[in-house]
Amino acid sequence: MWQPTTFGGHVFVFRGRRGDLVKLFWWDGDGLCLFAKRLEHGRFIWPQAAEGSVHLSGAQLSMLLEGIDWRRPSRTWQPERAG
């Protein structure tokens, strides 16, 4: 039987096949929460997992969710200048 309290404080992140969608799951103490984000332009830079899972810092996760390559901080897509 799965006991969600064992995952307190952990966030599980999954990326869609095309790389433009991520879903985050976490247990907030009362229930399982889901956050989904799709980028209109660019792709989420996904870290390479040598052992099946990757541990990111809060800053790395924040950059990943903004579409920034957390290994080399720069945006994967630059907005065009308004004319």
Side-chain angles (χ1 to χ4, degrees):
M1 183 168 152
W2 181 60
Q3 296 178 354
T5 56
T6 61
F7 298 116
H10 291 85
V11 176
F12 298 91
V13 183
F14 302 91
R15 185 184 74 160
R17 280 189 195 157
R18 294 187 312 202
D20 64 344
L21 173 71
V22 291
K23 294 179 183 178
L24 291 83
F25 295 92
W26 72 95
W27 179 259
D28 71 350
D30 290 329
L32 191 63
C33 299
L34 167 67
F35 173 80
K37 182 172 183 176
R38 182 181 309 272
L39 292 176
E40 291 185 18
H41 302 282
R43 299 285 182 254
F44 292 103
I45 304 301
W46 204 249
Q48 294 294 321
E51 300 171 355
S53 65
V54 176
H55 298 273
L56 299 177
S57 69
Q60 290 170 326
L61 178 60
S62 178
M63 286 189 279
L64 185 141
L65 293 177
E66 289 295 321
I68 300 170
D69 185 349
W70 55 271
R71 300 165 301 175
R72 293 173 290 127
S74 62
R75 293 195 175 270
T76 59
W77 175 79
Q78 292 291 333
E80 295 179 15
R81 180 180 265 193

